[in-house]
């Protein structure tokens, strides 16, 4: 049986950071950080195989069994609700999902609140719990533009440092939830590669614990 | 009949039916439609998703059956001992699209004791073995996690949030929810441990024992132990894993819950458990129990997708005006030995075949 662990990593800074951690844990793979257009990397001993995918697609690869494990932001997990196991909170890529709007302006409450967002499901769920009537405007990028141009009252989006908001005269109105990167596994992979994934998860957890101790010092 | 005519999926269904017949289960056939009321009244016992409905000629609302178990239970009489299996298409909306899903399943209804539970589990395991050489059957007893959740003393919706985390084996969000709900650290640690425990009964037993806090948990664990003993006794206890996180469909199942996985298929292909509550709801008497499982054949489509190298063994092309009777005789001859022969006027090069022949004025010629 093929016991190579297939790992889907999100392209970009987060994925590189995760790879560096895995490399320290003995899952290194030569050439992977070179700037090439190659998408699949395998180490010689065939213990791991990495592929770079679009961050929002990681969970899809894992859910459908094309990858055994992967790293994905909590925002994506809550938005798409994939049927996977969420094994560890890596604590990387920390940010917040927020409601933001134009500074010092309170949207009127006598009509449906217009919300521009990429995260339709999260926004709907948040406002359903509050019982507020909303109208969702789904956008795919430059969400911050929407309230400035009057397209929406507020936006629901990820806020890292808040500097983009500030530059555009916007502010955080409410915090919905905290976000960080999660280590996930497919349901079948968890069973058929249980020992391999178990060892990897334990190594990650002790690496994280060691880092935390270091930071306390 | 030639072995290759049956697709692998059909062979599997045939073998499954034989297995269930051998164990004395009889086939249950149902019509495509049921009255919508049946599903409306028992909504909590159905998998999520819409039911496809339409009106009959009298204006009565009918539904394309989304499930077979409800119909079997509806027809069970109080005090009856039913052993039935089915091989039916069910209809559901999946991601907003209408789907026809082939299900093979089995129900054991009546006085359910340890033997009947073990028999159904054994049949589930044998079913997986028919489908694949590499399969795993995971089992839990819902009483274990329910008992642990009851210790938190939280409201139902809060408990539901915790169990959603357990189902995802998600230790970090589980721990943070526990602390926000004011669950003691000790109990929170036990919940986290429960979510991640996975392995054979022998591997998890000691740890599970140390977590028992009440009678419900003790009984749940005892039942799992008895099942493990049974399978050790008959020498079939490999391939069983205890996984307390198997707990979606909590509304439906009580007691033993199990799920089967086949290597190469990303989701569970077999799902089953004990569902006494449905019988109670349908007024079949409190002494009636039920346990059963279903196999989702649609998930196996990809698995069974045997990529054949050739469409046919032999392709025969012919000139116009040839004697049709002698062409037919030639085709019959080529078919001897069970080869498949396709006859068409021209070879467009798109048919994958082992051999090519041409039938012309001078008779049959090999073309490669």
């Amino acid at each position: 049986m093929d016991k190579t662990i297939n790992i889907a990593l999100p392209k970009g800074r987060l994925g590189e950071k995760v790879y560096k951690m895995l490399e320290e844990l003995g899952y290194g793979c030569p050439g992977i950080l070179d700037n090439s257009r190659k998408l699949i990397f395998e180490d010689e001993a065939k213990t791991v195989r990495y592929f770079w995918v679009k961050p929002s697609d990681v969970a899809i690869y894992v859910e459908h069994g094309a990858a055994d494990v992967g790293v994905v932001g909590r925002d994506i997990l809550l938005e798409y609700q994939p049927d996977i196991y969420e094994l560890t909170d890596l604590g990387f890529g920390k940010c917040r999902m927020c409601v933001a709007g134009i500074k010092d302006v309170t949207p009127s409450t006598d009509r449906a609140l217009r919300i521009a967002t990429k995260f339709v499901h999260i926004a709907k769920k948040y406002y359903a719990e509050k019982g507020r009537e909303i109208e969702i405007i789904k956008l795919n990028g430059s969400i911050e533009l929407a309230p400035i141009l009057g397209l929406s009252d507020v936006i629901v989006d990820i806020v890292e440092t808040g500097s983009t908001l500030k530059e555009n005269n916007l502010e955080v109105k409410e915090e919905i939830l905290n976000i960080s990167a999660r280590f996930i596994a497919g349901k079948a992979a968890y069973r058929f590669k249980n020992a391999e994934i178990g060892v990897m998860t334990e190594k990650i957890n002790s690496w994280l614990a060691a880092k935390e101790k270091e930071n306390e010092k | 009949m030639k072995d290759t005519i049956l697709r692998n999926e059909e062979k599997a269904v045939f073998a499954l039916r034989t297995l269930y017949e051998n164990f004395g289960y009889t086939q249950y056939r149902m019509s495509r439609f049921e009255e919508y009321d049946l599903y409306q009244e028992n909504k909590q016992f159905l998998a999520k998703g819409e039911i496809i409905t339409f009106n009959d000629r009298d204006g009565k609302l009918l539904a394309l059956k989304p499930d077979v178990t409800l119909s079997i239970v509806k027809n069970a009489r109080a005090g009856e001992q039913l052993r039935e299996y089915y091989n039916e298409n069910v209809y559901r909306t999946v991601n907003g699209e209408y789907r026809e899903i082939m299900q093979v399943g089995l129900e054991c209804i009546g006085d359910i004791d340890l033997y009947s539970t073990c028999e159904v589990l054994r049949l589930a395991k044998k079913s997986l073995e028919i489908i694949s050489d590499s399969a795993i059957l995971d089992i839990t007893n819902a009483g274990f996690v329910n008992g642990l959740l009851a210790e938190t003393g939280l409201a139902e919706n809060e408990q539901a949030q915790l169990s959603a985390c357990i189902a995802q084996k998600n230790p970090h969000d589980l721990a943070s929810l526990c602390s926000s709900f004011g669950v003691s650290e000790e109990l929170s640690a036990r919940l986290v441990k429960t979510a991640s425990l996975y392995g054979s009964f022998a591997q998890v037993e000691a740890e599970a024992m140390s977590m028992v806090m009440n009678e419900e948990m003790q009984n749940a664990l005892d039942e799992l132990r008895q099942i493990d003993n049974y399978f050790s006794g008959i020498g079939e206890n490999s391939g069983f894993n205890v996984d307390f996180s198997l707990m979606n469909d909590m509304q439906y199942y009580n007691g033993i819950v199990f799920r089967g996985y086949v290597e190469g298929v990303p989701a569970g292909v077999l799902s089953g458990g004990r569902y006494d509550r449905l019988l109670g709801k349908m007024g079949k008497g409190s002494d009636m129990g039920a346990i059963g499982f279903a196999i989702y054949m649609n998930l196996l489509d990809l698995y069974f997708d045997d990529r054949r190298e050739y469409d046919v063994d032999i392709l025969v092309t012919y000139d116009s005006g040839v004697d049709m009777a002698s062409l037919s005789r030639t085709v019959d001859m080529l078919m001897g030995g069970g080869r498949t022969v396709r006859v068409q006027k021209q070879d467009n090069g798109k048919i994958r075949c082992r051999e090519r022949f041409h039938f012309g004025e001078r008779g049959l010629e090999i073309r490669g």
Side-chain angles (χ1 to χ4, degrees):
Chain A
M1 203 155 66
D2 179 17
K3 290 290 186 188
T4 308
I5 305 184
N6 295 301
I7 307 172
L9 288 181
K11 270 186 221 162
R13 251 186 323 172
L14 172 63
E16 282 164 25
K17 202 169 166 187
V18 172
Y19 171 74
K20 279 175 190 149
M21 171 188 76
L22 290 169
E23 190 177 37
E24 277 182 45
L25 297 175
Y27 297 104
C29 197
I32 191 167
L33 292 180
D34 300 349
N35 253 337
S36 81
R37 283 174 186 267
K38 214 173 137 182
L39 294 171
I40 300 184
F41 296 86
E42 212 174 70
D43 72 329
E44 260 175 37
K46 295 210 160 81
T47 45
V48 280
R49 188 180 295 123
Y50 288 96
F51 16 96
W52 295 110
V53 302
K54 195 175 166 183
S56 54
D57 289 343
V58 169
I60 298 172
Y61 279 78
V62 174
E63 185 180 19
H64 292 268
D68 300 319
V69 296
V71 170
V72 60
R74 189 185 181 206
D75 50 330
I76 306 287
L77 294 176
L78 291 171
E79 181 63 24
Y80 299 102
Q81 312 260 324
D83 190 19
I84 47 91
Y85 291 135
E86 198 181 316
L87 299 178
T88 290
D89 181 355
L90 296 175
F92 299 164
K94 274 194 179 145
C95 51
R96 299 164 298 160
M97 182 70 69
C98 295
V99 180
I102 293 173
K103 202 161 179 271
D104 302 326
V105 175
T106 311
S108 81
T109 50
D110 57 357
R111 59 168 171 78
L113 185 70
R114 290 173 307 149
I115 302 165
T117 187
K118 261 197 276 194
F119 301 96
V120 173
H121 183 81
I122 292 175
K124 274 189 186 160
K125 187 163 178 269
Y126 179 68
Y127 283 100
E129 277 164 16
K130 297 181 122 199
R132 178 85 157 91
E133 191 189 354
I134 56 166
E135 186 190 326
I136 298 263
I137 300 158
K138 158 101 173 141
L139 295 178
N140 297 303
S142 305
I143 316 290
E144 295 84 3
L145 260 180
I148 301 169
L149 299 179
L151 177 61
S152 74
D153 298 312
V154 292
I155 61 174
V156 166
D157 205 12
I158 290 169
V159 178
E160 233 166 302
T161 56
S163 53
T164 317
L165 292 182
K166 211 176 243 169
E167 279 168 31
N168 289 294
N169 194 35
L170 300 173
E171 66 178 0
V172 170
K173 305 278 186 196
E174 292 159 55
E175 279 187 21
I176 299 181
L177 41 95
N178 288 316
I179 287 167
S180 55
R182 305 292 163 92
F183 178 63
I184 62 170
K187 289 198 162 178
Y190 182 85
R191 295 180 159 80
F192 292 101
K193 296 180 183 175
N194 189 263
E196 292 78 4
I197 292 177
V199 168
M200 185 179 262
T201 312
E202 253 169 53
K203 281 185 179 173
I204 292 174
N205 282 335
S206 35
W207 187 90
L208 291 171
K211 280 277 150 169
E212 202 172 313
K213 251 192 191 162
E214 229 170 79
N215 289 344
E216 272 170 21
K217 272 176 200 169
Chain B
M1 190 162 36
K2 245 181 12 171
D3 191 41
T4 49
I5 300 279
L6 281 178
R7 288 184 295 123
N8 285 336
E9 186 187 327
E10 289 164 336
K11 278 186 225 164
V13 170
F14 185 71
L16 291 171
R17 291 179 51 177
T18 311
L19 171 69
Y20 306 149
E21 294 271 349
N22 285 348
F23 275 78
Y25 286 70
T26 51
Q27 186 169 13
Y28 177 85
R29 297 287 315 207
M30 73 175 287
S31 91
R32 279 192 177 73
F33 323 120
E34 272 275 7
E35 284 189 33
Y36 177 67
D37 288 354
L38 173 68
Y39 305 116
Q40 179 60 32
E41 283 162 16
N42 299 290
K43 226 174 170 180
Q44 71 268 39
F45 294 106
L46 286 175
K48 263 187 224 149
E50 284 166 58
I51 296 164
I52 305 166
T53 57
F54 58 97
N55 289 334
D56 77 353
R57 293 168 72 177
D58 306 325
K60 204 164 55 182
L61 196 57
L62 293 182
L64 279 170
K65 60 176 190 282
D67 170 277
V68 182
T69 308
L70 282 185
S71 305
I72 293 183
V73 171
K74 187 183 78 172
N75 292 321
R77 287 185 304 274
E80 198 176 17
Q81 300 291 323
L82 275 184
R83 300 283 185 278
E84 290 185 321
Y85 75 90
Y86 56 87
N87 171 21
E88 298 273 342
N89 286 324
V90 298
Y91 304 86
R92 291 180 187 165
T93 47
V94 180
N95 300 330
E97 289 184 42
Y98 290 172
R99 286 274 175 80
E100 185 178 34
I101 297 166
M102 205 223 277
Q103 266 192 8
V104 176
L106 172 150
E107 314 293 350
C108 174
I109 298 172
D111 181 10
I112 305 299
D113 62 359
L114 183 65
Y115 184 81
S116 4
T117 303
C118 290
E119 181 183 86
V120 170
L121 282 166
R122 202 171 161 214
L123 284 168
K125 188 146 178 296
K126 282 179 182 288
S127 303
L128 289 173
E129 282 163 6
I130 284 173
I131 294 163
S132 167
D133 299 332
S134 181
I136 289 177
L137 189 68
D138 285 350
I139 176 171
T140 183
N141 191 322
F144 193 83
V145 171
N146 282 350
L148 196 53
L149 284 172
E151 290 291 324
T152 62
L154 294 172
E156 208 170 304
N157 69 324
E158 290 169 330
Q159 285 194 25
Q161 288 181 53
L162 295 183
S163 68
C165 286
I166 295 177
Q168 285 186 324
K169 291 192 178 290
N170 176 337
H172 36 278
D173 290 334
L174 184 56
S176 70
L177 270 181
C178 279
S179 85
S180 73
F181 291 158
V183 175
S184 75
E185 270 185 32
E186 156 76 15
L187 192 51
S188 162
R190 284 183 192 212
L191 283 164
V192 167
K193 188 77 218 164
T194 306
S196 61
L197 261 191
Y198 184 80
S200 68
F201 187 77
Q203 283 169 324
V204 304
E205 184 179 14
E207 236 165 329
M209 290 250 286
S210 72
M211 284 193 280
V212 170
M213 296 180 84
N214 51 39
E215 207 185 333
E216 190 179 5
M217 294 178 79
Q218 186 63 55
N219 291 343
L221 198 59
D222 286 345
E223 192 178 7
L224 288 175
R225 183 181 298 109
Q226 286 167 344
I227 289 167
D228 186 64
N229 285 341
Y230 166 82
F231 282 99
S232 307
I234 60 168
E236 288 182 10
N237 65 336
S238 61
F240 274 102
N241 280 322
V242 175
D243 182 352
F244 292 117
S245 78
L246 280 186
M247 47 185 303
N248 18 358
D249 301 335
M250 252 3 219
Q251 296 266 16
Y252 194 111
Y253 295 124
N254 58 295
I256 295 295
V257 178
F258 51 97
R259 184 155 296 186
Y261 287 82
V262 166
E263 194 178 10
V265 181
V269 298
L270 181 151
S271 170
R274 182 92 187 242
Y275 56 96
D276 298 355
R277 268 188 225 129
L278 177 61
L279 282 94
K281 168 98 195 329
M282 287 195 165
K284 304 294 176 186
S286 57
D287 51 343
M288 289 273 278
I291 182 166
F293 61 82
I295 301 168
Y296 302 93
M297 299 305 289
N298 60 312
L299 292 177
L300 294 167
D301 278 356
L302 278 173
Y303 181 78
F304 283 134
D305 184 14
D306 44 346
R307 287 177 196 142
R308 284 191 296 181
E309 242 178 293
Y310 299 104
D311 298 320
V312 290
D313 292 325
I314 298 168
L315 176 68
V316 178
T317 50
Y318 58 93
D319 289 336
S320 49
V322 294
D323 176 36
M324 293 210 312
S326 57
L327 173 60
S328 294
R329 276 196 298 278
T330 310
V331 170
D332 287 347
M333 191 250 318
L334 289 171
M335 252 180 227
R339 285 175 300 186
T340 53
V341 183
R342 176 144 164 180
V343 184
Q344 59 186 46
K345 203 156 177 211
Q346 270 153 359
D347 181 4
N348 57 7
K350 289 200 174 143
I351 294 180
R352 298 170 306 164
C353 55
R354 287 175 210 274
E355 288 174 280
R356 289 185 150 78
F357 289 96
H358 182 75
F359 191 80
E361 287 291 305
R362 286 170 295 156
L364 196 65
E365 289 168 20
I366 298 182
R367 283 274 166 97

